[in-house]
């Protein structure tokens, strides 16, 4: 596509889907969300979708069948062993690009619709996370490989420290369409288009039970924090919400025009209320 006349299109990015309740919430809300916002591409972080930790091939296939274009992951990528070969076989599921080359999977992909090519990059921060290769250098290397093959690029930066995510947003401003944070499961209110034209949010939040602690049954999480003893974490089913953002792309390549949060409670068909 000629680089000066890109049509504005909308990308829906959905934060960490947690357990069966998060999956049911996603599947219940996705068709109407895509229609309401005129969505061209849908990207979902699925790192907690299998019982709260990891993802299975069956769950990933269900997401893709529901119209999800790319699935991103994070520090829980390898919790379910059955996903390992699938990560190598399926181009539309990503693990952080800065994991070791020897670990299964890949960190970026390009999908195309209506003549527009969207690159998606998944990367992990370094502070307080599983060991990963240095984020800034690995992001630059990945973008070097992606840039000419794409009209737009969305980066899912998966990490704990707000400072590193904000730093990456500034580092990539004007070079990618969007930098969206995941992992903390708590949506931040700092969504904006940076001066160079990159849409940014520190954390999109999660698609899961707001009535728990980051997705875990609240009594179990509190007990563990109170007693400082390990507890078996079970996914809460209380008050599920979908958390995401819609990114409107600009007319120039690798630029955004707007970013808007999407925070929606699950419908009665999911909650039984
Ligand atoms: Fe995570
Ligand atoms: Fe997560």
């Amino acid at each position: 596509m000629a680089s000066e006349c890109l049509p504005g299109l909308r990308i829906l990015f959905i934060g960490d889907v947690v357990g069966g309740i998060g999956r049911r919430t996603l599947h219940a809300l996705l068709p109407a969300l895509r229609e309401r916002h005129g969505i061209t591409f849908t990207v979902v972080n699925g790192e907690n979708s299998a019982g709260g930790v990891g993802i299975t091939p069956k769950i990933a296939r269900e997401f893709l069948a529901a119209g999800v274009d790319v699935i991103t992951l994070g520090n829980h990528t390898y919790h379910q062993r059955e996903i390992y070969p699938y990560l190598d076989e399926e181009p539309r599921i990503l693990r952080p690009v800065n994991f070791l080359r020897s670990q299964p999977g890949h960190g970026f992909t390009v999908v195309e619709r209506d003549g527009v090519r969207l690159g998606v990059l998944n990367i992990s921060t370094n502070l307080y996370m599983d060991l990963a290769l240095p984020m800034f250098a690995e992001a630059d290397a990945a973008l070097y490989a992606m840039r000419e093959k794409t009209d737009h690029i969305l980066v899912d930066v998966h990490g704990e420290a707000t400072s590193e995510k904000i730093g990456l947003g500034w580092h990539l401003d004007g070079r990618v369409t969007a930098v969206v944070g995941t992992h903390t499961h708590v949506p931040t209110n700092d969504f904006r288009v940076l001066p160079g034209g990159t849409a940014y949010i520190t954390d999109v939040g999660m698609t899961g039970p707001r009535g728990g602690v980051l997705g875990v049954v609240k009594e179990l999480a509190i007990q563990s924090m109170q007693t400082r003893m390990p507890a078996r974490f079970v996914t809460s089913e209380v008050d599920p919400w979908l958390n995401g953002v819609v990114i409107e792309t600009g007319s120039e390549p690798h630029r955004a025009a707007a970013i808007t949060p999407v925070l929606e409670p699950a419908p009665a068909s999911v909650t039984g209320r």
Side-chain angles (χ1 to χ4, degrees):
M1 172 146 306
S3 60
E4 283 77 27
C5 60
L6 284 173
L9 53 87
R10 295 195 183 91
I11 304 163
L12 174 63
F13 180 86
I14 294 172
D16 305 28
V17 175
V18 180
I21 190 79
R23 300 199 307 272
R24 293 196 295 281
T25 301
L26 172 73
H27 287 294
L29 291 174
L30 191 56
L33 276 178
R34 292 174 70 197
E35 190 169 327
R36 192 188 317 152
H37 295 283
I39 297 299
T40 300
F41 293 107
T42 303
V43 181
V44 172
N45 186 299
E47 75 145 1
N48 304 103
S49 56
V53 275
I55 188 167
T56 63
K58 179 173 180 286
I59 292 170
R61 286 192 195 100
E62 285 168 359
F63 286 173
L64 296 171
V68 172
D69 295 287
V70 180
I71 301 164
T72 55
L73 298 169
N75 53 303
H76 294 303
T77 295
Y78 300 119
H79 200 87
Q80 312 284 342
R81 293 188 73 89
E82 59 191 293
I83 200 67
Y84 297 1
Y86 188 80
L87 291 173
D88 286 325
E89 292 158 13
E90 174 53 71
R92 294 171 294 172
I93 187 166
L94 307 178
R95 50 75 160 168
V97 73
N98 51 340
F99 283 178
L100 296 178
R101 309 274 180 262
S102 56
Q103 290 177 284
H106 45 272
F108 61 83
T109 195
V110 180
V111 288
E112 183 167 351
R113 182 155 303 129
D114 302 337
V116 176
R117 302 162 302 170
L118 174 70
V120 181
L121 170 65
N122 192 191
I123 195 159
S124 170
T125 59
N126 296 124
L127 284 171
Y128 318 123
M129 299 297 287
D130 293 344
L131 279 179
L133 300 171
M135 176 179 69
F136 288 88
E138 292 296 315
D140 288 343
L143 292 183
Y144 183 78
M146 295 172 77
R147 195 170 168 85
E148 295 304 315
K149 300 176 192 156
T150 57
D151 300 299
H152 290 288
I153 295 175
L154 178 139
V155 180
D156 172 353
V157 56
H158 194 80
E160 185 74 24
T162 50
S163 56
E164 274 185 300
K165 292 163 150 179
I166 294 168
L168 189 72
W170 286 121
H171 184 66
L172 300 183
D173 183 24
R175 298 158 64 199
V176 302
T177 311
V179 176
V180 294
T182 56
H183 176 72
T184 72
H185 293 193
V186 179
T188 58
N189 201 23
D190 61 342
F191 56 91
R192 60 183 160 152
V193 177
L194 298 174
T198 295
Y200 177 80
I201 185 169
T202 297
D203 208 295
V204 166
M206 72 171 168
T207 295
R210 218 171 54 161
V213 175
L214 309 183
V216 173
V217 169
K218 67 178 189 298
E219 289 79 8
L220 296 175
I222 292 167
Q223 183 193 24
S224 170
M225 290 187 270
Q226 213 168 24
T227 62
R228 300 186 187 173
M229 293 300 287
R232 197 173 72 85
F233 283 169
V234 175
T235 302
S236 167
E237 301 264 317
V238 179
D239 193 20
W241 280 58
L242 181 146
N243 290 178
V245 287
V246 172
I247 295 135
E248 192 176 331
T249 63
S251 55
E252 285 179 69
H254 305 118
R255 298 288 190 283
I259 176 169
T260 316
V262 176
L263 306 169
E264 293 237 356
S269 62
V270 172
T271 59
R273 276 188 272 117

